[in-house]
Amino acid sequence: MTTSRLPIYFIIATVAIDAMGIGLIMPVMPDLLREVDGGDLGDAAVWGGILATTFAAMQFLFGPIIGSLSDRFGRKPILVISLVIMAFDYVLMAVAGTIWLLLIGRIIGGITAATHATAAAYVADVSKPDEKAANFGLIGAGFGIGFVLGPVIGGVLAEFGTRAPFWAAAVLALANAAFGWYILRESVTDATRRAFDWKRANPFGAFKSIGSFPGLGALLTVFFFFQIANFVYPAVWAYYTVERFEWSPGMIGVSLAVYGLCFGLVQGFLVQPAINRFGHRRTVVIGLGLETVMLVVVAFITSGTLLLLLIPLNALGAIGLPALQGIMSRRVSNDAQGELQGVLTSVGSLSAILAPLIMTRSFAYFTASDTPIYAPGAPFLIAAVLMAISVVIFQMRKRASVAS
């Protein structure tokens, strides 16, 4: 381990711990929402979609602001402050007795959930141009590692009640904040520091500013459709596996852990070899194509055991996103990396505003007692169509705009 790589390794650990906090609470959400709201599984899925959409709406509005603030004040303080407030958010959700307190918690959490975008900006700061895609892959690997541990621990803690995982997530967020405060070295220097400007910080101004860089408009559109499609997993996975396979919270946790492990291995070890072999453009196409095929498979599968066995193949599609991020990062200047990551956060959040509503409501409609067609896998078919659209848009753009 060389000294120059230590910041990257720390960011991987930071994202892993953050992912553990997310993974901890996913297995209990169906039971928690039924406990608080008193409805059935379909009602819980709809409320889950509303909470996720609220969270995403706050990210959309505040993502560019947080990114621009990190360009001005540095990555370290933004990361640490976000994590401290995130810990408070988990505590609020741990004690919430009404759906409205859970909603307030998601508002607060969405505003401060800048960890991943700021971590990506940090990686862009310290990476050479030809290293960016691989290092973005390492961030994904860290996220996958966190998902290996988070859902398993969350599934175990769920046996002690639906609130236990939230307390654990709060402790992890605080520990991560303390770790970052003492270990992380600031990557924004006086040479790359950028003045904060509200015209760029609001999401619409940020889109206009980033969109002025050559070739980014089409790439942002691809990223948008990819994010909508891929959000089907956090939106309905827990509800879908309960409905189709009658999985328990523990089994949901195991399935997420298996996916997290495979996802981490793919992004940690296969992204750079794929780029070396196929180039950035073809790696994006291969990844998004695999995602499309596997979404169709998940939609129609009837065996929970087979679904688990196919997770490694499903995870192979994860090579596409880091390659796409690498292309985009190489197209903006060094003093705009935080702004770019803030815009990507807003694009992802805009898709997450739409996706939970589409996915959870389609799940509720096609699993209702009076539905004309029983099809719990319908959200995955919708996602497959959207993923295919992202491939078409990426292929149709001018080859001259591709950094490969």
Side-chain angles (χ1 to χ4, degrees):
M1 181 183 297
T2 63
T3 302
S4 63
R5 298 291 291 175
L6 285 177
I8 299 295
Y9 297 136
F10 170 76
I11 289 296
I12 295 170
T14 300
V15 174
I17 294 173
D18 183 40
M20 285 181 66
I22 298 171
L24 275 169
I25 67 175
M26 285 182 68
V28 301
M29 286 306 291
D31 288 343
L32 175 63
L33 288 170
R34 282 184 288 185
E35 171 188 316
V36 171
D37 184 54
D40 59 19
L41 188 62
D43 293 330
V46 171
W47 269 114
I50 292 172
L51 293 178
T53 298
T54 301
F55 184 92
M58 294 301 102
Q59 280 192 309
F60 171 75
L61 293 173
F62 287 87
I65 296 175
I66 299 299
S68 293
L69 285 173
S70 75
D71 282 337
R72 170 63 180 86
F73 297 105
R75 317 299 182 205
K76 179 176 178 177
I78 298 301
L79 280 167
V80 172
I81 292 171
S82 296
L83 287 166
V84 170
I85 300 178
M86 190 182 297
F88 168 78
D89 175 49
Y90 285 131
V91 171
L92 177 63
M93 295 187 72
V95 300
T98 68
I99 200 71
W100 304 112
L101 278 179
L102 291 177
L103 187 63
I104 291 171
R106 291 296 77 192
I107 291 173
I108 296 171
I111 293 172
T112 60
T115 306
H116 195 84
T118 309
Y122 188 97
V123 167
D125 292 340
V126 301
S127 301
K128 297 177 182 178
D130 59 351
E131 296 175 339
K132 288 185 177 182
N135 286 339
F136 285 136
L138 291 176
I139 291 180
F143 200 81
I145 291 169
F147 253 73
V148 172
L149 300 177
V152 171
I153 297 174
V156 172
L157 290 176
E159 302 301 322
F160 298 94
T162 55
R163 309 309 176 111
F166 291 94
W167 291 109
V171 171
L172 279 174
L174 278 179
N176 196 21
F179 188 37
W181 179 256
Y182 287 105
I183 299 297
L184 190 64
R185 296 181 300 170
E186 183 55 63
S187 64
V188 175
T189 65
D190 291 338
T192 60
R193 196 176 303 277
R194 194 182 197 189
F196 182 84
D197 185 349
W198 278 108
K199 292 181 179 179
R200 291 196 309 266
N202 76 83
F204 304 103
F207 281 130
K208 181 178 179 181
S209 175
I210 289 297
S212 66
F213 288 94
L216 274 186
L219 293 173
L220 287 172
T221 303
V222 172
F223 186 81
F224 174 65
F225 278 101
F226 172 88
Q227 291 288 2
I228 292 180
N230 211 46
F231 204 90
V232 68
Y233 292 104
V236 301
W237 180 266
Y239 309 100
Y240 171 73
T241 53
V242 169
E243 176 68 22
R244 174 152 280 184
F245 310 120
E246 297 183 351
W247 282 0
S248 66
M251 191 61 200
I252 294 171
V254 169
S255 69
L256 291 170
V258 172
Y259 182 81
L261 176 62
C262 296
F263 181 88
L265 290 174
V266 168
Q267 291 216 324
F269 296 101
L270 296 184
V271 172
Q272 191 61 56
I275 291 173
N276 292 342
R277 175 67 178 84
F278 303 112
H280 285 75
R281 187 186 69 82
R282 290 177 64 190
T283 299
V284 173
V285 173
I286 292 170
L288 271 57
L290 282 171
E291 295 270 15
T292 303
V293 172
M294 291 309 302
L295 283 166
V296 174
V297 171
V298 173
F300 290 104
I301 201 166
T302 57
S303 168
T305 301
L306 183 58
L307 179 61
L308 284 174
L309 294 175
L310 288 176
I311 284 177
L313 183 59
N314 196 333
L316 282 177
I319 61 173
L321 186 59
L324 180 62
Q325 289 176 294
I327 292 172
M328 289 188 283
S329 180
R330 291 160 65 185
R331 290 189 172 274
V332 303
S333 57
N334 289 334
D335 65 353
Q337 293 296 329
E339 184 180 357
L340 170 63
Q341 297 304 326
V343 166
L344 293 182
T345 296
S346 280
V347 172
S349 299
L350 182 59
S351 66
I353 291 170
L354 301 174
L357 298 177
I358 296 170
M359 304 305 178
T360 58
R361 289 184 183 277
S362 63
F363 174 83
Y365 177 80
F366 286 104
T367 58
S369 58
D370 59 347
T371 182
I373 302 174
Y374 178 73
F380 293 94
L381 281 180
I382 295 171
V385 172
L386 295 172
M387 190 70 75
I389 291 173
S390 73
V391 177
V392 171
I393 294 173
F394 187 82
Q395 289 287 69
M396 287 178 63
R397 70 192 182 88
K398 295 180 180 179
R399 286 178 176 267
S401 69
V402 183
S404 59

